[in-house]
Amino acid sequence: MRSLDWVNEAVEMVDQTKLPQTIETLRVETVADLVAAIKRLSVRGAPAIGVAGAYGVAMAAALHRPDVDRGAFDAAVASIRDARPTAVNLARMVDRVLPLALESAESALTEAHKIRDEELQASIAMGDRGADTVIELVAASSGPAEAIRAMTICNTGGLATVERGTALAVIQTLHERGVLAEALPVETRPLLQGGRLTTFELQQMGAPHRLLVDSAGPFLLAQGAADVVLIGADRVAANGDTANKIGSFSLALGAAHANVPFIVVAPESTVDMATASGEAIEIEDRGAEEVASVRGVAVAPNGTDAVNPAFDVTPVGLISCLVTDKRVVRFDKGEVL
Ligand code: MRU
């Protein structure tokens, strides 16, 4: 299943806010609706919002012709670029398509298709390279890697990319190779991408799994319940510090305590050499309401304020290695990006 694609002059996406109860296709025909879809997480995950942003610029070129009203076009492109700040893929893909959109809407669309296809190829490469790396690291830390238990967070599957995914692509490949004992996704409060989306995708691939509440992750690692932790990334800084879904840092601390390999899986399009370290990464705050209620049901008294960082930064010192579509960087062996 493709998370999103360009169909008859519009972007069509699986509306991820409706999963797992309903598999609904959302057709987006305007830039304003695309920006709203990105903001409310109908489409989400760093590579997927990069592809959505690329198609958004192509749409902007067709609907707000830069040769006719450059101001309206620039405003439309800026609204896409600024829809979410943490994942570098969104701004990067918008910036990549922009010069082509100034030439023609057709050239912009061709580039957006290219980005979609590159992300798909990247997922396949990460799955293979990541599975090899997991097997190597698990064998070195806890013996023969024949029944691997992999903990993960958020959703890093096909829904977060175009197909297959990043960290979840690795888990899928381990399953296809017959060496996955179980996946252990944490539910990922407040929007439950682990509980709603990752379990949905694991079920579809027929991979054994058990769902955890977020706070069980580090404790279960300390108890020896997992052989590896695999996460995706929204932005990898030049020094290797990695922004990913809130809760990733807690898992990294738990993994370090338990001496379990902690692996980041992300395409090269998520590596941001222009950001020196994690301190410079803007972390999206999504406001109090998502914390004080769960799917429309209040879980705190009316008027409760909340802090809601959508992401955290795991320092490179807690990351064993980064697997991309092109390389493996062993931070645990002193390698650098
Ligand atoms: O807020 P989300 O659901 O967009 O957050 C997504 C994540 O944090 C993913 O782990 C990350 O984008 C990598 S996905 C391939």
Side-chain angles (χ1 to χ4, degrees):
M1 178 164 75
R2 260 196 190 170
S3 63
L4 80 163
D5 216 337
W6 182 263
V7 182
N8 298 331
E9 312 308 311
V11 177
E12 287 193 356
M13 59 182 72
V14 177
D15 186 347
Q16 299 189 36
T17 64
K18 303 274 168 64
L19 289 171
Q21 287 85 359
T22 314
I23 306 174
E24 199 173 292
T25 300
L26 177 68
R27 188 169 164 82
V28 177
E29 297 179 339
T30 67
V31 171
D33 284 351
L34 184 71
V35 170
I38 294 172
K39 285 188 173 171
R40 73 168 174 271
L41 274 53
S42 285
V43 57
R44 46 147 296 283
I49 62 173
V51 174
Y55 281 130
V57 177
M59 188 184 277
L63 301 180
H64 309 277
R65 299 237 330 253
D67 53 332
V68 175
D69 185 348
R70 183 64 195 263
F73 171 76
D74 285 348
V77 170
S79 69
I80 302 167
R81 198 178 192 283
D82 298 342
R84 297 190 76 191
T86 304
V88 68
N89 303 60
L90 178 58
R92 172 170 284 165
M93 297 315 171
V94 165
D95 292 346
R96 180 168 149 187
V97 178
L98 181 54
L100 293 141
L102 295 174
E103 283 170 20
S104 72
E106 293 71 36
S107 312
L109 188 58
T110 303
E111 190 67 8
H113 286 324
K114 204 167 153 215
I115 289 168
R116 174 201 62 193
D117 295 346
E118 283 171 14
E119 290 298 353
L120 180 50
Q121 288 311 313
S123 282
I124 295 166
M126 282 183 282
D128 280 335
R129 185 171 285 114
D132 292 345
T133 307
V134 167
I135 288 167
E136 186 188 327
L137 266 68
V138 168
S141 73
S142 51
E146 286 154 5
I148 297 168
R149 301 158 303 162
M151 195 174 285
T152 190
I153 186 166
C154 196
N155 171 263
T156 61
L159 289 165
T161 56
V162 178
E163 282 179 39
R164 279 191 89 89
T166 60
L168 204 61
V170 176
I171 289 173
Q172 181 170 355
T173 306
L174 291 169
H175 174 56
E176 288 163 357
R177 291 188 191 179
V179 293
L180 180 74
E182 68 173 342
L184 295 163
V186 300
E187 62 178 350
T188 319
R189 276 276 290 148
L191 296 181
L192 304 172
Q193 290 94 327
R196 294 187 302 109
L197 308 178
T198 299
T199 50
F200 173 79
E201 293 196 308
L202 285 164
Q203 234 175 46
Q204 288 208 325
M205 65 180 88
H209 60 280
R210 289 187 290 168
L211 180 64
L212 315 175
V213 297
D214 297 335
S215 42
F219 175 63
L220 289 174
L221 284 166
Q223 283 201 317
D227 305 297
V228 64
V229 178
L230 289 158
I231 69 161
D234 289 85
R235 191 182 295 244
V236 180
N239 72 341
D241 290 351
T242 295
N244 191 52
K245 182 53 58 190
I246 190 73
S248 301
F249 180 40
S250 314
L251 292 184
L253 289 167
H257 175 81
N259 208 18
V260 165
F262 184 90
I263 301 178
V264 176
V265 186
E268 292 289 336
S269 58
T270 302
V271 176
D272 181 14
M273 296 305 283
T275 296
S277 70
E279 281 162 36
I281 300 176
E282 184 181 345
I283 300 295
E284 177 183 7
D285 189 305
R286 293 189 56 85
E289 201 184 313
E290 286 179 357
V291 179
S293 66
V294 176
R295 294 184 74 71
V297 177
V299 292
N302 270 349
T304 299
D305 202 359
V307 189
N308 186 13
F311 303 96
D312 59 25
V313 175
T314 300
V316 65
L318 293 176
I319 301 172
S320 311
C321 68
L322 167 69
V323 177
T324 80
D325 44 317
K326 302 263 188 297
R327 55 188 164 156
V328 177
V329 185
R330 290 288 301 260
F331 297 127
D332 59 349
K333 289 191 167 168
E335 292 179 4
V336 292
L337 276 163

